[in-house]
Amino acid sequence: FKQIDALKDAHKLATLMGELEAEGSVAPMFNFGVEQDDKDSSKQIAGIFQGGLSLPDRDYYIVDNPHFKEVRQQYVEHVTKMFTLAGDTPEQAAKEAAAVLEIETVLAKASTSRTDLRDPANRYHIYAVADFQKLTPDFDYSVYFKDVQVRPFETLNVATPDFFKGLSELIAKEPIDAWKSYFRWHAIHSAANNLPKAFFDENFAFFGKTLNGQKEPTPRWKRCTSGTDNALGEAVGQDWVKVNF
C-alpha cells in the first residue's frame, strides 16, 4: 500500500508494476512470462498477454443483460466492502470501487474474446521490443522488463496487440487516484485468502457463492494441504521418486 500510495505519475506505473511483480505480491494489468514458441518448439520466447480483470471473462463487464448487470452491481458492492475492511470510509470505498470497475471495463472492451483466442493465429504476433514500445507509448516496458529481472531479449510474442493499445490509451487519460485504487484492489484481492477471516469470508461470499455457486469454503486443512503441495509438490515428488524407484 505504501508503494502504491507513493505513485505520483501514471507514467511511473511501469516501475510500480515491475517492482510489485518482482516481489511476488501483485501483478495486475497484463500477464508477462516465458512461453514456448508456437512456430518453433525448440525455442522459449518472451510473451505478453491481456489481463487485469477480476471477473472471469470480458463478457461480465460488457454484455448488457439482467444477469451480468446484477453481477456487476454485486461486484462493486463486494469491492466496496473489501476496501472498507482495509480501513477506508464507506464513501471513499464506494468511490474506489467505481474506479476499479471503470478501469476493468475499459480493459475488457480492449480484450480479445475467448472465441477469437481459440484460433492460434489470433494470439501469435512477434514484435521487436522497440516496435512494441511504439505501439504502447504510455507504458515504459523497458523499465518494466528491467524491474521484473528478466534476461534481455529483442523480440516477444504480443498475443493481443489491441489490448495493449487500449491499455496505453487508458493510462494516458485515467486519473492517478483511479490507478491507485485499481492497484490497491488487486493487492487486497490477490491476498484475500491469506488475510484475516473477515476478508476471507467476504471474498468467498462473492467469488465462491455468487460466481461459482459453492455453498461453503473448502475446509482449512485442505486449503493448507493444497497450498503446501503447490509450493513444494515438485520438490517432494523428486524425493518420492528417488525412494520408490
Side-chain angles (χ1 to χ4, degrees):
F1 278 6
K2 288 181 180 179
Q3 286 173 276
I4 294 168
D5 190 55
L7 186 68
K8 304 300 180 187
D9 180 352
H11 289 93
K12 298 295 184 182
L13 282 170
T15 300
L16 176 64
M17 185 161 170
E19 290 175 349
L20 293 175
E21 188 169 345
E23 294 165 4
S25 54
V26 61
M29 298 175 78
F30 56 79
N31 301 294
F32 171 74
V34 176
E35 61 186 42
Q36 211 78 29
D37 189 328
D38 283 352
K39 295 189 177 181
D40 185 350
S41 61
S42 69
K43 292 182 180 178
Q44 286 188 314
I45 59 174
I48 197 163
F49 189 78
Q50 66 193 30
L53 308 182
S54 303
L55 296 175
D57 186 74
R58 67 194 292 268
D59 287 355
Y60 282 80
Y61 297 89
I62 62 179
V63 172
D64 192 23
N65 67 28
H67 170 66
F68 285 125
K69 283 182 177 180
E70 183 179 5
V71 170
R72 287 193 289 271
Q73 180 181 344
Q74 291 172 316
Y75 175 55
V76 170
E77 291 171 357
H78 165 66
V79 177
T80 301
K81 291 177 183 177
M82 293 292 271
F83 275 130
T84 304
L85 288 171
D88 296 340
T89 65
E91 294 77 16
Q92 178 64 19
K95 181 180 179 181
E96 290 189 285
V100 170
L101 181 64
E102 179 181 327
I103 288 176
E104 293 189 355
T105 300
V106 175
L107 296 180
K109 290 177 179 178
S111 297
T112 303
S113 71
R114 287 189 183 188
T115 302
D116 289 338
L117 287 174
R118 289 176 189 153
D119 183 348
N122 289 338
R123 56 177 191 268
Y124 187 85
H125 309 90
I126 302 300
Y127 277 74
V129 173
D131 291 336
F132 176 50
Q133 185 62 72
K134 293 176 184 176
L135 184 75
T136 58
D138 291 290
F139 188 94
D140 194 337
Y141 286 93
S142 63
V143 170
Y144 168 76
F145 294 144
K146 175 178 174 292
D147 287 340
V148 295
Q149 301 172 28
V150 65
R151 291 181 181 180
F153 55 91
E154 296 180 356
T155 62
L156 75 164
N157 177 32
V158 182
T160 49
D162 287 344
F163 173 84
F164 291 96
K165 291 179 187 176
L167 174 59
S168 182
E169 293 169 0
L170 182 62
I171 290 171
K173 67 181 183 181
E174 194 70 24
I176 192 66
D177 285 344
W179 283 114
K180 289 183 180 182
S181 297
Y182 174 78
F183 269 77
R184 289 182 77 243
W185 157 244
H186 279 272
I188 296 168
H189 177 53
S190 66
N193 285 336
N194 300 315
L195 291 174
K197 188 174 184 300
F199 288 91
F200 177 89
D201 289 346
E202 174 56 34
N203 183 67
F204 177 78
F206 180 73
F207 284 98
K209 287 184 178 180
T210 300
L211 287 186
N212 295 326
Q214 188 177 345
K215 293 182 179 179
E216 58 185 28
T218 303
R220 185 176 177 84
W221 73 266
K222 286 188 177 182
R223 288 185 272 121
C224 291
T225 301
S226 177
T228 304
D229 186 49
N230 288 337
L232 300 174
E234 296 296 333
V236 174
Q238 290 177 23
D239 285 343
W240 187 87
V241 169
K242 287 178 184 177
V243 170
N244 291 281
F245 294 92

